[in-house]
């Protein structure tokens, strides 16, 4: 064969040529992989810039309404509602300027992990904000009922804003750190281990993740508090549902049927909290139409409430498909009818879970007494 007839020098040259071609192929393949990773790195970095731009604008809006409310609220009230928002804005503005410098000099070896490491050292300021967030939102809901405060807020939100109310603005710092965690994790995913930014990004991910877990919990608590407050604002009657440990679970329109009478069925707006079941009916205007508030949401009139503690779900009511029969410390069983078997199952599952939680909590409290 031609190979066997080759001289040793020719064979060596051929092997070197093949090795060179292999190295060239592998180098080209690695380069294409790096190009692909770099493309995704750039996309993630652009998302960081875009979301930070939007976040900063939201902080500016908070500072604007802060300035207006400072004329009608006490210093203590302002501190409770807005906490250290000025410090957060100041640092994030500085951080944003540095991000802009990074994008101007963007290259395949661009490093931003060190910047996020600096940011992670600042996160304790966010922790302070989040620790006082729930108390601040509760106070905001109370002072917003005053005419002077209501007038300021109505005037501020009369123009087009990013968020519909101040509560939706104030939760954004609580949500921002978990978002940093997601973006950093995504950036690390597209950064190869030999990249000069890899080690710093990995450290920054670890540091931000620890704080994000705590803030994530606070964000969920805050969203729940906003939801409870929103429900409260749409219900007419001298009743308050806002409580520190109260958790919103489910809401919907069900039909109430009296077990011991031939009364007609009544449509009820039903709200399930972790410790209460609330029944409301549509509020009618003087023209007989359903009343609508300024946000375009239907308003309801409070009818009754039932504690979850001590409540039990009875057997299905054979005469009423998709019905739930609930008994407890209140007078007579409560029968609620859903529109479908799926809807009934969802309500029943949530009620079963909450009843069990209330029962387990009572056992724990009884145990502590002995």
């Amino acid at each position: 064969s031609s190979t066997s007839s080759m001289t040793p020098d020719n064979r060596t040259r051929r092997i070197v040529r093949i090795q060179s071609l292999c190295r060239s192929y592998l180098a080209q393949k690695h380069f294409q992989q790096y190009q692909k990773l770099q493309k995704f790195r750039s996309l993630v970095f652009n998302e960081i810039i875009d979301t930070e731009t939007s976040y900063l604008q939201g902080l500016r809006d908070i500072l604007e309404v802060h300035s207006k409310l400072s004329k009608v609220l006490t210093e203590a009230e302002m501190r409770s509602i807005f906490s250290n928002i000025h410090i957060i804005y100041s640092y994030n503005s500085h951080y944003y300027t540095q991000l802009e410098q990074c994008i101007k000099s963007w290259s395949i070896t661009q490093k931003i992990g060190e910047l996020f490491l600096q940011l992670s050292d600042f996160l304790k300021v966010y922790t302070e904000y989040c620790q006082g967030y729930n108390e601040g939102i509760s106070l905001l809901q109370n002072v917003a009922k005053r005419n002077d405060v209501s007038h300021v807020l109505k005037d501020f939100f009369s123009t087009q804003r990013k968020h519909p109310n101040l509560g939706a603005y104030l939760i954004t710092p609580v949500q921002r750190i978990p978002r940093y965690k997601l973006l950093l994790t995504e950036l690390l995913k597209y950064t190869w281990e030999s990249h000069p930014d890899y080690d710093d990004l990995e450290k920054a991910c670890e540091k931000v993740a620890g704080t994000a877990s705590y803030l994530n919990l606070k964000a969920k608590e805050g969203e729940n508090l906003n939801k409870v407050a929103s429900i409260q604002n749409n219900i007419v009657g001298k009743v308050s549902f806002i409580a520190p440990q109260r958790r919103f679970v489910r809401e919907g329109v069900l039909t109430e049927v009296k077990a011991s009478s031939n009364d007609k069925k009544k449509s009820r707006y039903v709200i399930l909290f972790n410790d209460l079941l609330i029944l409301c009916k549509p509020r009618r205007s003087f023209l007989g139409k359903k009343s609508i508030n300024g946000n375009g949401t239907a308003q309801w009139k409070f009818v009754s409430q039932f504690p979850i503690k001590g409540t039990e779900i009875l057997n299905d009511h054979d005469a009423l498909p998709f019905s739930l029969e609930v008994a407890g410390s209140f007078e007579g069983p409560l029968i609620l009818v859903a529109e479908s078997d799926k809807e009934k199952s969802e309500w029943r599952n949530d009620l079963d879970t909450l009843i069990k939680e209330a029962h387990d909590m009572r056992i724990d409290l009884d145990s502590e007494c002995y």
Side-chain angles (χ1 to χ4, degrees):
S1 66
S2 60
T3 306
S4 59
S5 62
M6 281 186 182
T7 64
D9 287 346
N10 287 339
R11 190 178 295 115
T12 300
R13 280 195 292 270
R14 184 164 185 175
I15 291 171
V16 170
R17 174 63 177 162
I18 291 171
Q19 289 175 336
S20 176
L21 288 171
C22 287
R23 282 195 298 270
S24 177
Y25 169 76
L26 291 173
Q28 186 177 10
K29 189 174 181 181
H30 287 152
F31 178 73
Q32 289 172 345
Q33 288 175 336
Y34 290 150
Q35 276 190 319
K36 187 176 179 180
L37 288 172
Q38 176 61 9
K39 178 184 175 182
F40 284 120
R41 265 175 61 85
S42 298
L43 289 173
V44 175
F45 184 73
N46 284 331
E47 186 176 356
I48 292 171
I49 286 282
D50 291 343
T51 57
E52 193 68 18
T53 302
S54 176
Y55 174 56
L56 266 183
Q57 182 54 55
L59 292 180
R60 290 189 196 98
D61 286 347
I62 294 175
L63 293 181
E64 184 181 341
V65 75
H66 176 284
S67 176
K68 294 177 183 295
L69 284 174
S70 65
K71 298 171 184 175
V72 295
L73 293 177
T74 66
E75 286 186 20
E77 289 169 334
M78 293 293 292
R79 236 181 352 260
S80 179
I81 293 171
F82 293 98
S83 186
N84 56 352
I85 195 69
H86 281 91
I87 298 174
I88 289 174
Y89 174 74
S90 176
Y91 188 87
N92 276 88
S93 296
H94 174 69
Y95 161 70
Y96 182 74
T97 302
Q98 292 178 296
L99 281 177
E100 286 185 312
Q101 292 301 318
C102 287
I103 203 167
K104 286 177 183 177
S105 58
W106 188 254
S107 68
I108 195 168
T109 57
Q110 180 67 49
K111 293 177 64 176
I112 61 170
E114 186 178 353
L115 184 56
F116 276 100
L117 274 174
Q118 293 171 13
L119 177 68
S120 64
D121 291 333
F122 169 74
L123 296 186
K124 58 181 178 293
V125 176
Y126 274 85
T127 303
E128 180 185 335
Y129 180 91
C130 293
Q131 284 173 340
Y133 172 78
N134 288 354
E135 183 181 339
I137 287 295
S138 295
L139 176 60
L140 175 62
Q141 297 300 330
N142 288 327
V143 298
K145 298 172 186 175
R146 287 167 29 188
N147 289 336
D148 54 352
V149 177
S150 176
H151 176 74
V152 169
L153 293 176
K154 186 176 180 181
D155 179 65
F156 179 78
F157 287 101
S158 63
T159 57
Q160 186 66 36
R161 298 289 178 179
K162 182 182 176 183
H163 298 294
N165 55 63
L166 183 54
Y169 270 105
L170 292 175
I171 199 174
T172 54
V174 181
Q175 297 168 327
R176 189 58 186 158
I177 304 304
R179 186 67 185 273
Y180 284 143
K181 177 196 170 188
L182 290 175
L183 291 169
L184 269 176
T185 302
E186 197 71 4
L187 193 61
L188 184 65
K189 175 182 172 183
Y190 297 118
T191 304
W192 51 100
E193 290 189 14
S194 60
H195 193 285
D197 202 28
Y198 188 86
D199 289 343
D200 281 346
L201 274 178
E202 191 173 42
K203 291 173 187 173
C205 275
E206 290 174 3
K207 291 186 76 172
V208 172
T211 306
S213 297
Y214 168 77
L215 298 185
N216 226 359
L217 178 62
K218 284 295 178 183
K220 288 178 181 177
E221 289 177 2
E223 287 163 2
N224 175 73
L225 201 57
N226 282 337
K227 178 64 178 177
V228 175
S230 175
I231 290 171
Q232 176 76 58
N233 291 337
N234 290 321
I235 294 177
V236 178
K238 292 183 178 180
V239 60
S240 176
F241 305 129
I242 299 175
Q245 302 304 319
R246 184 151 294 149
R247 188 176 80 250
F248 168 78
V249 178
R250 173 180 293 277
E251 65 184 332
V253 177
L254 302 175
T255 302
E256 181 187 11
V257 179
K258 296 291 184 182
S260 57
S261 71
N262 295 319
D263 289 351
K264 64 179 182 178
K265 299 174 182 178
K266 296 177 180 178
S267 179
R268 295 289 187 241
Y269 170 49
V270 185
I271 311 138
L272 180 61
F273 295 115
N274 60 312
D275 60 340
L276 279 180
L277 185 68
I278 309 292
L279 266 60
C280 302
K281 64 182 180 180
R283 184 193 178 198
R284 301 288 171 178
S285 69
F286 67 94
L287 294 175
K289 297 179 181 179
K290 187 182 291 184
S291 180
I292 305 293
N293 68 12
N295 295 325
T297 307
Q299 283 197 305
W300 303 85
K301 187 174 181 180
F302 174 77
V303 174
S304 54
Q305 65 182 37
F306 306 91
I308 296 299
K309 184 178 178 181
T311 295
E312 62 175 326
I313 301 176
L314 305 179
N315 293 329
D316 291 351
H317 206 288
D318 295 334
L320 294 169
F322 318 139
S323 65
L324 286 167
E325 189 167 358
V326 182
S329 57
F330 41 90
E331 184 180 347
L334 171 67
I335 301 175
L336 297 171
V337 183
E339 299 242 334
S340 66
D341 189 54
K342 178 177 179 292
E343 185 182 32
K344 170 200 161 182
S345 296
E346 289 171 348
W347 278 93
R348 175 160 193 144
N349 289 340
D350 283 339
L351 276 167
D352 278 336
T353 300
L354 296 174
I355 290 168
K356 184 178 184 305
E357 284 179 5
H359 177 72
D360 291 346
M361 187 179 295
R362 185 176 61 190
I363 290 175
D364 290 341
L365 289 173
D366 289 345
S367 300
E368 290 175 8
C369 294
Y370 290 96

